[in-house]
Amino acid sequence: MGIVSQEAIKQFQALMDQVMAVDEPLKRTFQNVHQGYPLETFGRFLKAREWNVAKAHKMLVDCLNWRVQNEIDNILAKPIVPTELYRSVRDSQLIGLSGYSREGLPVFAIGVGLSTFDKASVHYYVQSHIQINEYRDRIILPSASRKYGKPITTCVKVLDMTGLKLSALSQIKLLTIISTIDDLNYPEKTNTYYIVNAPYIFSACWKVVKPLLQERTRKKVQVLSGCGRDELLKIMDYGSLPHFCKREGSGSSRHSQNGAENCFSLDHHFHQQLYNYLKQQSLIKEPVHPMKQGSFHVDVPEPAAEGTQIAKTIESEFNKFGNGNGLSDSLDDLKINGD
């Protein structure tokens, strides 16, 4: 870390010390954010605002206020019930923890192309997404830090584009909500995004979206050839590979023959641990009252101009494919090689 970076963190810390001295709720929720690593947290927010201390300070204070106003500290005590409903969410919002990189970073797998988001209301999907973020930050990352004896505050994401089609256009609004929540409240939590099983339609969209991204974001994205297995094995063991990377053409699956191997499935040990934790925390918080059905509503901040522009660009590109360019969803079978 350079001298300029260290000075920026010092200034940021001094500003936040003033806030913490007079605002106990913000102080409490900040402890859930930094998990014992406040300097690394200041660094993340500074990176997200190009090392501008004033902008990073505003961003973090806004984040902490959002957490307090929406009771985010309690979200891990709000399981989605009944279990059948939660299973439906898991089967249509494909995400899971497949393992760890050799450096100790959690590896999250995301089935972008086959996530349908059509089995529950938007609120349930947003709730589930935030719960996984909070479980990652409060349980997974601190545990990895203890195991590896160093601060581990970021993760790796492997995005499977199998099945990406024009119908994904209908999901852009929800995905914009989720990405806005992440950008403003969980910045710089992903070290690298690996894109695998990318069809032609992704290649076309990526060419127009890539120039719109900030340089630090572009550098994080790697488009791999095929299922990406050989490249990913350079940074993780075979056992940590997402199921869709273990053999060519395997792709994502909502209904793998062995749910324990499919990290998207509620039967996978990660989701079993997460769901059991949510239910246990609920009983601790409200031991007398039965768990209630109903989603946890969260205020969604306005997306940044960059995010809005990207969403509109993706929508425009998808529309081109649907407007008689001689291209159809059959092109999804074509694969591209990582540049």
Side-chain angles (χ1 to χ4, degrees), residues 166 200-201 204 320-331 334:
L166 299 179
Y200 180 86
I201 195 171
K320 287 179 186 177
F321 280 92
N323 287 338
N325 280 355
L327 297 170
S328 69
D329 283 359
S330 63
L331 282 173
L334 296 175

Side-chain angles (χ1 to χ4, degrees), residues 143-209:
S143 176
S145 298
R146 290 190 297 271
K147 179 179 178 180
Y148 288 87
K150 62 180 180 180
I152 294 178
T153 58
T154 59
C155 66
V156 168
K157 290 182 179 176
V158 183
L159 279 57
D160 183 19
M161 296 294 169
T162 298
L164 185 67
K165 297 179 179 178
L166 299 179
S167 55
L169 197 60
S170 63
Q171 302 162 16
I172 284 182
K173 183 177 180 180
L174 172 57
L175 294 175
T176 300
I177 290 172
I178 287 174
S179 65
T180 299
I181 288 172
D182 282 356
D183 289 346
L184 296 180
N185 301 292
Y186 303 93
E188 300 296 319
K189 295 299 293 189
T190 303
N191 188 283
T192 310
Y193 297 90
Y194 294 101
I195 311 293
V196 303
N197 296 321
Y200 180 86
I201 195 171
F202 171 81
S203 176
C205 286
W206 178 238
K207 285 177 182 176
V208 294
V209 168

Side-chain angles (χ1 to χ4, degrees), residues 60-283:
L60 180 52
V61 171
D62 287 347
C63 164
L64 299 180
N65 279 314
W66 173 80
R67 293 180 65 86
V68 170
Q69 290 161 10
N70 290 279
E71 300 183 358
I72 300 300
D73 289 344
N74 295 327
I75 200 169
L76 291 182
K78 304 287 184 181
I80 295 173
V81 290
T83 304
E84 291 74 20
L85 175 60
Y86 189 60
R87 186 177 291 278
S88 295
V89 170
R90 291 278 55 82
D91 287 345
S92 52
Q93 182 183 34
L94 304 182
I95 182 171
L97 178 72
S98 65
Y100 294 82
S101 74
R102 293 194 183 94
E103 293 183 349
L105 275 63
V107 178
F108 281 90
I110 302 174
V112 176
L114 290 176
S115 289
T116 55
F117 301 102
D118 60 353
K119 306 297 184 187
S121 71
V122 168
H123 297 294
Y124 281 117
Y125 290 114
V126 172
Q127 175 181 348
S128 171
H129 179 80
I130 295 174
Q131 285 176 331
I132 291 175
N133 279 356
E134 291 291 312
Y135 189 74
R136 174 198 65 198
D137 293 351
R138 295 195 228 170
I139 306 297
I140 299 293
L141 291 172
S143 176
S145 298
R146 290 190 297 271
K147 179 179 178 180
Y148 288 87
K150 62 180 180 180
I152 294 178
T153 58
T154 59
C155 66
V156 168
K157 290 182 179 176
V158 183
L159 279 57
D160 183 19
M161 296 294 169
T162 298
L164 185 67
K165 297 179 179 178
L166 299 179
S167 55
L169 197 60
S170 63
Q171 302 162 16
I172 284 182
K173 183 177 180 180
L174 172 57
L175 294 175
T176 300
I177 290 172
I178 287 174
S179 65
T180 299
I181 288 172
D182 282 356
D183 289 346
L184 296 180
N185 301 292
Y186 303 93
E188 300 296 319
K189 295 299 293 189
T190 303
N191 188 283
T192 310
Y193 297 90
Y194 294 101
I195 311 293
V196 303
N197 296 321
Y200 180 86
I201 195 171
F202 171 81
S203 176
C205 286
W206 178 238
K207 285 177 182 176
V208 294
V209 168
K210 189 176 180 179
L212 302 178
L213 298 175
Q214 294 180 348
E215 184 180 3
R216 72 172 191 283
T217 303
R218 284 200 303 271
K219 287 180 176 178
K220 290 182 182 182
V221 180
Q222 294 190 31
V223 182
L224 305 183
S225 175
C227 72
R229 180 188 58 209
D230 293 342
E231 286 298 312
L232 291 173
L233 284 174
K234 294 176 182 178
I235 65 160
M236 69 185 74
D237 295 333
Y238 182 83
S240 288
L241 287 175
H243 59 280
F244 52 79
C245 294
K246 290 187 174 178
R247 63 184 185 278
E248 288 293 342
S250 57
S252 293
S253 174
R254 299 188 198 92
H255 308 290
S256 172
Q257 289 181 343
N258 184 357
E261 292 295 322
N262 179 348
C263 64
F264 299 148
S265 170
L266 180 55
D267 298 322
H268 188 268
H269 62 85
F270 165 70
H271 284 300
Q272 284 292 301
Q273 290 170 358
L274 168 59
Y275 198 45
N276 286 334
Y277 182 86
L278 296 174
K279 290 186 288 187
Q280 289 166 4
Q281 291 300 304
S282 176
L283 292 173

